Amino acid sequence: MAVTTELIEKIIQSPKAREALDNVADVYGNDYVALWMFEVSGEKIDWLNEIIEELILQLSPVTATWGALFI
């Protein structure tokens, strides 16, 4: 991230939100509402990425975890 502010450090925890901030004007670094919008959106994208990665693991019998329920 090119510019960081105290407010950014306080609010933004999501890796995807930090990536998104790299693509917008620096003026959003002090905008409380915009930063929370980035954070919430980033959290949802992070969550979706986790689900997709887990789903891909379930496609192979070697890496699937759901099969262990039937042993």
Side-chain angles (χ1 to χ4, degrees):
M1 182 180 323
V3 174
T4 187
T5 64
E6 186 177 319
L7 197 55
I8 288 174
E9 295 302 319
K10 183 177 177 182
I11 295 174
I12 303 297
Q13 303 299 315
S14 164
K16 288 296 181 184
R18 289 196 180 268
E19 284 181 36
L21 278 175
D22 287 338
N23 297 314
V24 296
D26 296 339
V27 71
Y28 291 108
N30 288 317
D31 187 334
Y32 184 82
V33 174
L35 288 174
W36 273 111
M37 290 175 62
F38 280 110
E39 175 62 17
V40 171
S41 299
E43 287 176 356
K44 295 301 177 191
I45 294 169
D46 293 337
W47 178 73
L48 286 172
N49 283 339
E50 288 177 24
I51 289 176
I52 291 168
E53 289 171 3
E54 183 64 28
L55 183 61
I56 290 170
L57 290 174
Q58 301 309 313
L59 296 174
S60 170
V62 175
T63 57
T65 57
W66 56 265
L69 298 174
F70 301 109
I71 293 177

